[in-house]
Amino acid sequence: MRVIVMLVLAGLTCSAFGQQGTVVVDPKRNYTVKSEGEIYNGFDREYPEYADTTTADLNFNNSDWINIHFAKANFAGDTLQILVYETNPAFHHQYRISIIDNKFFIYYEFRTSGENVKRIARTLESKLILNTLDFKKGKEIRGYTEYKGECIDDCWSEPISIRGNFKVIIPGPPIR
């Protein structure tokens, strides 16, 4: 199974992923998430369905107002999938990190309001630093990521830059 997943991801590396990288482990780094644990809803009471608990603080293009606030994880076999995301009436971001055998791939897509166009970015550079590679159910994983990319379909020419911290808990009870 691992070989098939790696081959599929390697094939995608040439297109939307860009390239794979090696995870850096730094358990002493500060992975602070601004407003962690607080309920965030950028559109307040008008759209309560978009409220969730803040578990990420990724900034898009050094903007003062475009940040991605939520993260969740899935762990199956030897693959950890981390999704850092936000959806609201103005935009939709999906920043996907796949980690297999200390290697990572990042896939980023976004949409803006008023258009049902999925914009996919090609990775130019990426970085991933985690507090641990000890992936077990119930374990907290904290990380820092940087991404530079370019939009490859139906978007503007401005480069894409994303960076920040996130926290996920691997779903399931802890393995003892």
Side-chain angles (χ1 to χ4, degrees):
M1 178 67 173
R2 178 186 310 161
V3 172
I4 292 170
V5 171
M6 290 299 284
L7 288 173
V8 169
L9 288 175
L12 290 171
T13 298
C14 297
S15 58
F17 281 104
Q19 73 264 351
Q20 76 176 17
T22 300
V23 177
V24 173
V25 177
D26 184 353
K28 296 180 180 178
R29 183 183 174 98
N30 181 356
Y31 299 99
T32 300
V33 172
K34 182 179 174 185
S35 302
E36 180 178 337
E38 294 179 16
I39 300 298
Y40 175 80
N41 184 352
F43 288 85
D44 298 321
R45 288 172 248 131
E46 199 172 335
Y47 298 95
E49 65 271 24
Y50 297 116
D52 205 347
T53 303
T54 301
T55 53
D57 185 23
L58 268 62
N59 182 265
F60 178 84
N61 280 3
N62 296 313
S63 169
D64 290 335
W65 61 279
I66 303 177
N67 291 292
I68 308 171
H69 293 94
F70 312 120
K72 60 185 176 182
N74 184 36
F75 186 53
D78 57 357
T79 304
L80 178 63
Q81 298 279 339
I82 298 171
L83 174 63
V84 185
Y85 64 98
E86 185 159 344
T87 299
N88 60 48
F91 55 82
H92 169 79
H93 294 272
Q94 285 194 359
Y95 187 91
R96 296 180 180 272
I97 305 168
S98 297
I99 305 166
I100 305 169
D101 291 334
N102 198 29
K103 301 288 183 204
F104 73 92
F105 303 88
I106 294 176
Y107 174 82
Y108 174 65
E109 73 174 62
F110 63 102
R111 296 181 185 156
T112 55
S113 65
E115 303 174 87
N116 193 14
V117 176
K118 184 187 292 187
R119 295 176 173 91
I120 299 172
R122 175 178 25 245
T123 303
L124 300 174
E125 296 175 36
S126 60
K127 176 192 281 189
L128 180 63
I129 304 171
L130 297 178
N131 64 329
T132 184
L133 286 175
D134 183 23
F135 303 149
K136 293 180 181 165
K137 291 182 179 184
K139 184 140 183 145
E140 178 182 277
I141 306 295
R142 289 186 173 267
Y144 171 81
T145 185
E146 288 183 11
Y147 176 89
K148 292 187 188 314
E150 63 183 355
C151 193
I152 57 176
D153 190 27
D154 198 22
C155 41
W156 55 91
S157 61
E158 179 181 351
I160 296 168
S161 174
I162 300 170
R163 66 177 177 207
N165 294 320
F166 60 88
K167 176 192 95 169
V168 295
I169 306 273
I170 298 176
I175 297 174
R176 302 200 189 258

